[in-house]
């Protein structure tokens, strides 16, 4: 094997990703409502047991690269771009103006803003802590994020509450904490109504994002279903402004079927925004790129979303692995994730038109035509051959995903 010196490695990566083929042009990529988070591209590979592996990159660099790739929208936490101590000051206005310029230069738009209510030490006991000072500060932070969102032309605000739970049970009274958390969301919505009116803009869509654990041991609102119950609990003053930002992997983390989660959100009219990534059931929030682990499940998810007219935003909330360099983040991670998503989205369109699936599904719905009655055995006997179609549909979906074998053999 010939060693590859470091000054030739980027060229090798670029040549091999081109050799993979199947990439879409930036113009095509921009037609989809796909957003790139500031924090995803700027992630340096650090974690509790992991030192960073990539140098820092500023928002101008991230936005420029996203624009070149053809990612149409950018999303950010307030403190991804504004130091905590500068929030709400003139320095913030200066930075927001720079962001606006960078977006315009890259031909991008800001679609979503979110408040970091988990990283800073002030959130150790959550944004809905016992101390009124912490809660007042949380109100300031979410309202300030609403201001930034309107300033940048965003339409969505996301809330992942982070530490809304505990390591030690019994230390907080759950109903009290949930009421305080609702008060914070209410503050954001009420402020939004006032700002939107003043600016002649629509109010933002406020999207709650659940995660079952991490960074706490137990979480008070661990799943999208818990968030739906919270929205309908009567604690929110503007429940119509509040919906969900489910994250694909967060639902797998508690063992759910993400497609079923999304179906429940769709029925409730609350699927506002969707964080797209991949990973493993009942494990950590590893935020792997969309389609790298569960492509068949992703295909099925997108079939459901297309059937219900959900066209985005699809937010690339994943983390390029620690083994990827900054060159790799923009030459492999992001373009490849976008391209896998587009391919799966287009395949989902094919599934919806597929004549075999159509005929099988119609036949299942038509049933055997026996009159409804009380004879269980007769009903089963009349339908039993039709039900093989469930497995046949599964086979057809995998064929669409993998491509039919076209006579393929490799080893014999
Ligand atoms: C963390 C969340 C976070 C949210 C936005 O696990 O996914 O990135 O999407 O705060
Ligand atoms: Mg997320
Ligand atoms: Mg995640």
């Amino acid at each position: 094997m010939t060693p590859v010196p470091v000054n030739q490695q980027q060229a090798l990566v670029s040549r091999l990703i081109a050799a993979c083929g199947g990439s879409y042009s930036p113009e095509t990529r921009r037609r989809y409502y796909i957003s790139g988070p500031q924090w995803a591209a700027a992630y340096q590979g650090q974690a509790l047991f992991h030192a960073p592996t990539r140098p820092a990159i500023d928002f101008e660099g991230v936005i420029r690269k996203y624009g070149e790739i053809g990612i149409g929208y950018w999303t950010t936490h307030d403190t991804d771009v504004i130091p905590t101590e500068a929030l709400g000051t003139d320095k913030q206005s200066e930075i927001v103006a720079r962001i606006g310029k960078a977006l315009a230069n890259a031909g991008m738009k800001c679609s979503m803003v979110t408040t970091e209510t988990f990283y800073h030490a002030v959130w150790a006991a959550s944004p809905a802590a016992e101390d009124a000072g912490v809660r007042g500060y949380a109100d300031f932070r979410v309202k300030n994020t609403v201001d930034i969102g309107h300033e940048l032309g965003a339409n969505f605000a996301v809330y992942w509450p982070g530490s809304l739970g505990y390591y030690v049970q019994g230390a907080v009274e759950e109903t009290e904490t949930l009421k305080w958390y609702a008060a914070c969301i209410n503050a954001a919505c009420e402020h939004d109504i006032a700002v939107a009116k003043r600016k002649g803009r629509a109010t933002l869509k406020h999207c709650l994002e659940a995660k079952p654990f991490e960074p706490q041991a137990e979480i008070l609102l661990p799943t999208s279903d818990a968030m739906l119950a919270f929205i309908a609990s009567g604690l929110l003053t503007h429940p119509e402004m509040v919906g969900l930002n489910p994250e694909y992997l967060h639902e797998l983390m508690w063992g759910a079927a993400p497609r079923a989660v999304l179906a429940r959100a769709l029925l409730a009219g609350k699927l506002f925004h969707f964080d797209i990534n991949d990973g493993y059931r009942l494990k950590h929030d590893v935020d792997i790129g969309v389609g790298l682990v569960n492509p068949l499940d992703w295909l099925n998810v997108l079939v459901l979303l297309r059937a219900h007219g959900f066209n985005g935003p699809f937010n690339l909330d994943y983390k390029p692995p620690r083994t990827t360099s900054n060159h790799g983040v923009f030459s492999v991670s992001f373009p490849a994730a976008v391209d896998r998503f587009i391919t799966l989205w287009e395949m989902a369109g094919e599934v919806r038109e597929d004549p075999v699936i159509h005929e099988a599904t119609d036949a299942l719905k038509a049933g055997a035509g026996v009159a409804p009655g009380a004879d269980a055995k007769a009903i089963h006997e009349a339908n039993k051959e039709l039900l093989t179609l469930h497995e046949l549909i599964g086979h057809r979906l995998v064929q669409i995903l993998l491509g039919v074998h076209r006579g393929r053999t490799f080893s014999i």
Side-chain angles (χ1 to χ4, degrees):
M1 307 256 190
T2 321
V4 187
V6 71
N7 66 354
Q8 292 172 24
Q9 293 171 8
Q10 289 192 358
L12 173 75
V13 168
S14 297
R15 184 168 57 74
L16 290 183
I17 193 71
C20 286
S23 66
Y24 298 92
S25 68
E27 295 68 41
T28 300
R29 291 172 180 156
R30 265 190 281 273
R31 285 200 218 118
Y32 300 81
Y33 199 163
I34 295 173
S35 57
Q38 172 62 28
W39 68 90
Y43 167 62
Q44 293 179 255
Q46 75 280 13
L48 194 53
F49 294 107
H50 294 159
T53 58
R54 291 186 283 267
I57 170 162
D58 59 19
F59 67 79
E60 271 111 347
V62 170
I63 291 173
R64 192 183 66 248
K65 291 288 191 181
Y66 278 166
E68 285 167 15
I69 291 168
I71 295 172
Y73 299 85
W74 177 80
T75 60
T76 192
H77 293 100
D78 50 359
T79 55
D80 291 342
V81 284
I82 302 159
T84 304
E85 60 285 359
L87 289 164
T89 68
D90 289 349
K91 175 101 183 130
Q92 169 172 311
S93 320
E94 210 179 283
I95 294 173
V96 170
R98 266 171 51 205
I99 294 171
K101 224 176 265 161
L103 289 170
N105 287 342
M108 293 184 72
K109 291 195 162 101
C110 172
S111 52
M112 181 275 271
V113 286
T114 176
T115 313
E116 172 267 301
T117 52
F118 42 87
Y119 185 75
H120 195 282
V122 71
W123 310 125
S126 96
E130 294 92 334
D131 174 53
V134 172
R135 301 202 304 274
Y137 179 68
D139 288 358
F140 155 71
R141 287 287 294 270
V142 294
K143 292 198 285 193
N144 186 57
T145 305
V146 165
D147 290 336
I148 297 170
H150 279 290
E151 205 54 48
L152 290 174
N155 295 111
F156 298 87
V158 161
Y159 306 88
W160 170 55
S163 319
L164 196 74
Y166 27 53
Y167 276 102
V168 184
Q169 293 190 50
V172 302
E173 213 275 68
E174 288 82 349
T175 65
E176 214 165 32
T177 308
L178 288 169
K179 283 182 195 158
W180 287 329
Y181 188 61
C184 185
I185 302 293
N186 291 341
C189 289
E190 275 146 31
H191 185 67
D192 184 13
I193 293 170
V195 178
K197 192 160 172 216
R198 198 169 65 233
K199 293 205 167 237
R201 296 190 81 230
T203 53
L204 306 177
K205 290 189 154 212
H206 297 254
C207 316
L208 306 181
E209 177 177 337
K211 172 153 69 165
F213 43 85
E214 195 242 14
Q216 302 302 87
E218 301 286 357
I219 287 283
L220 295 189
L221 293 167
T223 65
S224 288
D225 298 296
M227 290 295 192
L228 284 180
F230 177 69
I231 295 169
S233 67
L235 291 174
L236 297 183
T237 47
H238 292 282
E240 74 290 351
M241 293 171 70
V242 183
L244 297 185
N245 174 45
E247 177 172 313
Y248 180 86
L249 179 57
H250 291 180
E251 303 299 332
L252 275 191
M253 284 170 73
W254 68 270
R259 181 166 140 139
V261 170
L262 293 164
R264 298 191 287 270
L266 283 166
L267 282 179
K270 291 299 190 186
L271 184 60
F272 285 7
H273 199 268
F274 187 19
D275 273 2
I276 61 171
N277 56 15
D278 215 334
Y280 303 91
R281 266 208 163 114
L282 302 172
K283 289 215 165 77
H284 299 282
D285 193 20
V286 286
D287 289 332
I288 293 172
V290 57
L292 284 183
V293 182
N294 296 295
L296 178 63
D297 191 51
W298 259 106
L299 174 61
N300 285 326
V301 158
L302 296 181
V303 171
L304 180 81
L305 297 187
R306 287 193 77 137
H308 289 268
F310 181 85
N311 297 322
F314 297 107
N315 190 41
L316 294 160
D317 191 9
Y318 78 100
K319 305 234 172 16
R322 296 180 84 221
T323 41
T324 296
S325 71
N326 265 351
H327 174 260
V329 166
F330 297 107
S331 62
V332 176
S333 282
F334 278 92
V338 170
D339 291 343
R340 285 193 304 276
F341 175 82
I342 295 176
T343 304
L344 287 162
W345 177 260
E346 295 307 333
M347 279 180 173
E350 275 172 51
V351 167
R352 288 181 28 77
E353 305 277 302
D354 185 73
V356 174
I357 293 180
H358 258 275
E359 196 174 336
T361 309
D362 287 350
L364 282 162
K365 287 182 188 160
V370 289
D375 188 343
K377 187 158 189 293
I379 296 170
H380 172 69
E381 284 297 323
N383 277 283
K384 67 180 187 194
E385 297 302 333
L386 269 184
L387 293 178
T388 301
L389 293 173
H390 279 191
E391 188 174 353
L392 187 147
I393 290 171
H395 173 66
R396 186 70 187 143
L397 288 165
V398 175
Q399 275 193 327
I400 291 172
L401 182 73
L402 301 180
V404 282
H405 63 67
R406 296 189 302 264
R408 173 184 282 135
T409 56
F410 180 71
S411 46
I412 332 178

